[in-house]
Amino acid sequence: MPEDSEHGWQRRGVLKGIGALGAAAGLAGVGSATPGRDPGPKEGEVLVGVSATADGVAATVEQYVPGNAELVHANETLRYVAVSFPEQASDAARQNFVEAVTQKDHVKYAEANATHEALATPNDPQFGDQYAPQQVNAPSAWDTTFGDSSVTIAVVDTGAQYDHPDLSGNYASDPGRDFVDADSDPYPDVPQDEYHATHVSGCAAAVVDNGTGVAGQGNSTLINGRALDENGSGSTADIADAIEWAADQGADVINLSLGGGGYTDTMKNAVSYATTNGALVVAAAGNDGSSSVSYPAAYSECVAVSAVDDSENLASFSQYGDSVELAAPGVDVLSTTTETRGSYERLSGTSMACPVVSGVAGLTLAQWDLSNSDLRSHLKNTAADIGLPDTQQGSGQVDAAAAVTTEPGSGDGGGGGDGGSGDSTSSSVSGTLDGYWDYDDYSYGWNYDSPSQVVIELDGPSDADFDLYVNTGTTANATPSDYDYGSYTTDSQESITIDSPDDSTAMQVDVDSYSGSGSYTVTITEYQ
């Protein structure tokens, strides 16, 4: 078959003509706020809009700013600047500036930086003492939806007090399973000491607008897989079993506010299983302050979350690195705790940031019907750039309002660090392996320049064990002994997610039969 396209698949040197399903081009990104600007009302500011005919947005206005004022913010995409006047400045002074500047060339308008109030304010009495929901714009998202009980978030953690007055309304009637004591009740053995999952549960989904305590990010259904004991420790096996259980329960989101132990195939297979079965796995980056993310967050299947404080600075304890995908509040976070400890308390850690992202993910699914892969991309596409390096914030701080109100794939995101435009394209290839000695190698040509993410999925026979291996940035075939990325669970359902893949060469994909035979399909989805 002739090579009639520079993109697509090649199998052992022969192009397979698999068409790509392209998405419509997205809109230009939204300009992000200047880091360091305080949130909330800015009643002393004037916004000045500048015509596209001007050479520069800030330069056009700056020459007209009076000496007692200053230009404090510029949005090059929406083409406006904010001019701040001192508190003692009179309304007349601001009005004089408005009237004068609107007479200048290229100035389209000038207006007060008006204050807007969220219409959906929860009646939870301690909501005003929280900052995490406000910082990720959950109240604005609640104008659209408070969440949906059909969306399930699994908390794999210590036992949770699921009958807590501020959690019971969102915990499932069958609240979970205990993998520590091997029974069907995940309630804490020692509520005074075992409180972590209760706090994590509240960060994600303490009941919103119930007149009690605090508010989580939205009203998703919670289930608890108790895999850690009252000391906060748990084995790889217990955690992996709990992850598998959560996936089998149909969890849409699985929260892993835990880490340590390094890479293990068991845990890798567990998160791969959960991902293949449709769950978004969200994991805490770790708390030792180092420049690499701990496992399980470091697995490609997991969304690694770093922690920031109420000033949107990286928490001193938060681990960071290239694997970080999103940031969220994780310092002095007020949430539910066991009633024996007083019902509410403030805790810090990436353990707290992680369920904020999980809760926003659940809230997003209440509005949009998304696969776990598309949800992951959507959260990143709509994240807010808070001015930190990509290694600290990933695509940015998760933004509930943007995630709920932005149509997936529109490209109209929140200006995050590396979330991409939201466009995607997919293509597939099918084949057959005859036995453990057999394999197929493919060379995949990229459809996008510098894709933000690529997801490679293998769907093979249920009675065989096929594995998936990938190389990038090289023309060398991937093999089970030489690969950059691998997924090799105990069945033939494999998935590999690569953020910001190396597209300097075609991607090399190897489908290998560990044992058994049958037909398979490999699907590759690129995100721009």
Side-chain angles (χ1 to χ4, degrees):
M1 183 180 295
E3 296 188 2
D4 56 0
S5 172
E6 62 178 325
H7 304 302
W9 299 83
Q10 286 184 316
R11 179 182 181 188
R12 294 173 179 165
V14 178
L15 182 72
K16 308 296 285 187
I18 305 297
L21 302 176
L27 302 176
V30 175
S32 59
T34 301
R37 278 167 56 79
D38 293 333
K42 299 175 178 61
E43 297 177 354
E45 291 185 1
V46 174
L47 305 182
V48 182
V50 179
S51 168
T53 57
D55 291 335
V57 175
T60 299
V61 178
E62 199 161 22
Q63 57 187 314
Y64 306 121
V65 175
N68 66 334
E70 62 177 331
L71 194 155
V72 295
H73 176 66
N75 186 314
E76 297 292 333
T77 302
L78 299 182
R79 303 190 67 83
Y80 76 84
V81 300
V83 177
S84 178
F85 285 75
E87 290 183 6
Q88 62 270 24
S90 65
D91 290 340
R94 284 188 288 271
Q95 185 59 35
N96 287 340
F97 171 69
V98 168
E99 293 176 358
V101 77
T102 51
Q103 302 301 313
K104 306 302 182 182
D105 290 343
H106 307 298
V107 174
K108 298 295 292 293
Y109 65 86
E111 61 192 11
N113 193 357
T115 299
H116 295 77
E117 301 290 346
L119 298 179
T121 302
N123 59 15
D124 306 270
Q126 296 189 59
F127 177 73
D129 298 327
Q130 297 179 265
Y131 79 93
Q134 294 90 328
Q135 189 161 300
V136 300
N137 292 323
S140 295
W142 297 335
D143 288 341
T144 301
T145 178
F146 280 115
D148 194 313
S149 62
S150 67
V151 178
T152 299
I153 299 173
V155 176
V156 175
D157 209 288
T158 64
Q161 188 191 330
Y162 48 78
D163 62 355
H164 188 289
D166 215 359
L167 294 175
S168 60
N170 279 344
Y171 254 99
S173 56
D174 181 1
R177 181 169 174 79
D178 187 340
F179 293 87
V180 178
D181 296 332
D183 60 47
S184 59
D185 187 358
Y187 206 84
D189 283 353
V190 186
Q192 177 63 32
D193 299 330
E194 191 177 339
Y195 53 86
H196 191 266
T198 306
H199 198 275
V200 167
S201 297
C203 291
V207 183
V208 181
D209 205 41
N210 67 337
T212 300
V214 297
Q217 311 311 310
N219 288 332
S220 300
T221 293
L222 292 164
I223 56 174
N224 175 212
R226 183 175 183 248
L228 309 179
D229 63 14
E230 57 271 15
N231 297 313
S233 299
S235 69
T236 295
D238 283 347
I239 297 166
D241 288 352
I243 293 169
E244 178 192 359
W245 164 83
D248 289 345
Q249 299 306 302
D252 299 287
V253 181
I254 298 176
N255 189 91
L256 301 179
S257 290
L258 50 86
Y263 181 99
T264 69
D265 285 339
T266 301
M267 191 74 77
K268 165 75 172 179
N269 290 345
V271 296
S272 181
Y273 176 88
T275 301
T276 300
N277 283 275
L280 180 72
V281 185
V282 183
N287 290 346
D288 69 13
S290 65
S291 59
S292 62
V293 170
S294 67
Y295 289 99
Y299 297 119
S300 65
E301 291 86 352
C302 297
V303 178
V305 179
S306 63
V308 297
D309 61 20
D310 59 1
S311 296
E312 298 181 335
N313 295 315
L314 185 73
S316 60
F317 54 78
S318 180
Q319 288 171 237
Y320 58 96
D322 292 338
S323 296
V324 169
E325 294 188 36
L326 290 167
V331 179
D332 292 333
V333 176
L334 179 65
S335 183
T336 49
T337 192
T338 54
E339 289 183 278
T340 58
R341 294 177 64 90
S343 294
Y344 301 93
E345 66 179 314
R346 297 180 187 274
L347 296 177
S348 298
T350 54
S351 281
M352 285 61 251
C354 181
V356 171
V357 172
S358 294
V360 171
L363 190 63
T364 303
L365 289 174
Q367 180 68 13
W368 307 110
D369 183 12
L370 297 170
S371 68
N372 53 356
S373 180
D374 288 338
L375 173 61
R376 185 177 188 171
S377 295
H378 184 63
L379 292 174
K380 294 167 66 176
N381 293 337
T382 56
D385 185 347
I386 54 175
L388 299 177
D390 291 354
T391 54
Q392 296 181 11
Q393 70 169 0
S395 294
Q397 182 172 252
V398 67
D399 189 319
V404 166
T405 62
T406 302
E407 185 173 356
S410 70
D412 191 15
D418 61 357
S421 70
D423 294 344
S424 64
T425 180
S426 295
S427 59
S428 300
V429 67
S430 298
T432 301
L433 298 180
D434 294 330
Y436 70 89
W437 61 87
D438 203 6
Y439 63 92
D440 283 334
D441 286 332
Y442 298 95
S443 179
Y444 175 81
W446 301 97
N447 288 283
Y448 293 139
D449 292 331
S450 302
S452 65
Q453 185 184 84
V454 62
V455 179
I456 309 100
E457 297 171 291
L458 170 63
D459 181 9
S462 59
D463 58 351
D465 184 359
F466 291 178
D467 296 327
L468 183 64
Y469 301 95
V470 171
N471 278 343
T472 58
T474 179
T475 58
N477 289 338
T479 71
S481 59
D482 184 11
Y483 60 92
D484 294 329
Y485 307 92
S487 181
Y488 34 85
T489 65
T490 55
D491 57 23
S492 300
Q493 306 299 310
E494 310 292 348
S495 179
I496 295 172
T497 299
I498 308 171
D499 287 320
S500 302
D502 185 342
D503 63 344
S504 59
T505 67
M507 182 166 60
Q508 311 303 316
V509 179
D510 173 51
V511 182
D512 185 88
S513 172
Y514 181 83
S515 63
S517 61
S519 300
Y520 66 84
T521 299
V522 177
T523 301
I524 294 181
T525 303
E526 290 180 56
Y527 296 89
Q528 197 169 36

